[in-house]
Amino acid sequence: MARYSISGILGIDARSAEKSLLGINKKVALFGAAAVAASYKATQGMLEFASKSLEAFVQFEKGYTSIFAILPGASDKWKKEFKGQIQELNMEFGILNEESIPAIRQALRGGVSKDNLMDWMKDAAHLARANAMDLTESVKTMTGVMATYGVKAGTTEEITDKLTISMREAAVEPDKYAAALRRLMPMANAVGVPFDELLALFTQSVKVTHDAGQSATSMENILAQLTRTTSKASKAFQAQTGETFPQWVRSGKGVAEGLNVLWKGAGENAEAFYELFGRMRAGRGAMEIVQKGTGAITEQLGLVQ
């Protein structure tokens, strides 16, 4: 019986062929392991993505639920439409639910009606975007203005424009400016200082101090001294004008003009003027307004009117 050699017939050495086959088997095995590992990683990634998506959806729904809890009488139709409006707001201003939903809750708690909520939120978002502010801080400031001054401060669009101009002029961190302004507004309104004039006075002060908190404290002290009937400043003002400082302001005369009355009454003497206010911070703040003159305040006022 004839013997045939693989090498003779195919020109292949048997031992070399065996080694080659073993090499191929190993490569196939390695490829298979890599494919399994890649498949595992892909599957794991998909599961993680699905888990995160589910978590985001749950948080998404919780956010809506927290809003609707403030509006127990809202219909299902309104709720459905409102969800779409929130997404439109997010798309228009490039924000996420994590930012818009807390801000909307803040607006509702601040007294904004659900009937004009989204229009109102757009103005707040414009203020936040124009000044690189946190949206909730923007909402707090606007609701604070409306709660303190009401329609006398203007429409929400006008308030947005006034605040944007003032913040840019002040050139300090907008969130800090807004927080300090919110603290100052109740006293200013109680005295009778109009919103536009308050913005002008406060912004002019911040431009000098470069510290919104310090300027707010200084102005609070000035107004406290001018309205406290037992203070030297209040007594001197009434003696020189025949009216209290709140009466003066509510008759349409300016704060800066009133301080000039005291400055002249003190003989334009810095020490005597400081003495009227007792506290150094109040006296220094009042002096800054006097030194800048009514012209600077009027110019600043012209920017927001």
Side-chain angles (χ1 to χ4, degrees), residues 2-305:
R3 293 182 180 179
Y4 299 98
S5 165
I6 292 176
S7 178
I9 297 171
L10 300 177
I12 301 173
D13 183 83
R15 290 180 181 177
S16 296
E18 187 178 356
K19 286 180 181 179
S20 296
L21 287 170
L22 285 170
I24 290 169
N25 286 337
K26 285 180 180 178
K27 287 179 180 177
V28 170
L30 288 171
F31 176 79
V36 170
S39 177
Y40 173 77
K41 285 183 179 178
T43 303
Q44 189 179 38
M46 289 174 67
L47 288 171
E48 287 178 0
F49 175 77
S51 176
K52 288 180 179 177
S53 297
L54 179 59
E55 183 181 347
F57 176 77
V58 170
Q59 292 301 319
F60 188 75
E61 288 302 312
K62 279 185 178 178
Y64 286 134
T65 302
S66 68
I67 292 175
F68 298 149
I70 307 173
L71 301 167
S75 67
D76 290 339
K77 181 184 176 183
W78 184 89
K79 290 177 182 179
K80 184 178 179 180
E81 291 174 351
F82 188 65
K83 283 184 179 182
Q85 290 171 352
I86 292 177
Q87 293 315 301
E88 288 175 9
L89 178 74
N90 290 353
M91 290 281 288
E92 182 177 348
F93 292 94
I95 54 181
L96 300 173
N97 267 25
E98 288 83 347
E99 187 175 3
S100 60
I101 286 179
I104 290 169
R105 285 201 304 264
Q106 181 65 45
L108 288 168
R109 291 192 184 107
V112 178
S113 167
K114 75 178 181 69
D115 296 329
N116 66 339
L117 178 59
M118 293 315 298
D119 287 338
W120 197 95
M121 283 301 304
K122 285 182 180 180
D123 287 331
H126 277 299
L127 176 63
R129 185 167 65 178
N131 299 284
M133 290 177 72
D134 174 76
L135 183 56
T136 299
E137 284 297 308
S138 172
V139 168
K140 283 181 182 178
T141 304
M142 290 184 63
T143 53
V145 173
M146 294 303 294
T148 306
Y149 282 98
V151 295
K152 292 183 293 182
T155 65
T156 53
E157 186 177 355
E158 289 169 341
I159 292 168
T160 297
D161 291 342
K162 291 173 183 180
L163 287 170
T164 296
I165 291 167
S166 299
M167 288 175 184
R168 288 177 180 173
E169 284 286 307
V172 294
E173 190 176 330
D175 285 349
K176 290 184 178 179
Y177 179 100
L181 178 65
R182 292 198 302 270
R183 175 160 58 88
L184 177 59
M185 284 192 295
M187 174 171 278
N189 183 54
V191 174
V193 181
F195 179 64
D196 290 358
E197 185 181 357
L198 173 62
L199 282 179
L201 287 164
F202 181 56
T203 302
Q204 190 62 48
S205 175
V206 176
K207 287 167 74 172
V208 173
T209 65
H210 306 292
D211 187 324
Q214 180 181 324
S215 289
T217 300
S218 175
M219 289 194 65
E220 282 177 322
N221 289 337
I222 291 170
L223 294 175
Q225 292 296 319
L226 287 169
T227 54
R228 190 174 298 132
T229 56
T230 57
S231 73
K232 291 181 180 179
S234 177
K235 289 178 179 178
F237 188 84
Q238 192 162 0
Q240 291 171 50
T241 64
E243 55 187 335
T244 66
F245 189 74
Q247 288 171 335
W248 168 278
V249 171
R250 288 180 182 131
S251 68
K253 299 166 188 171
V255 173
E257 189 180 351
L259 290 173
N260 272 317
V261 169
L262 287 175
W263 170 246
K264 290 177 181 178
E268 300 186 356
N269 179 283
E271 187 175 344
F273 185 73
Y274 277 127
E275 183 63 27
L276 289 174
F277 290 91
R279 298 180 182 181
M280 284 300 293
R281 181 170 289 181
R284 188 163 58 247
M287 179 63 77
E288 286 170 0
I289 294 173
V290 168
Q291 287 176 336
K292 283 290 180 181
T294 55
I297 304 299
T298 302
E299 183 180 347
Q300 192 68 47
L301 187 59
L303 295 176
V304 296
Q305 286 186 326

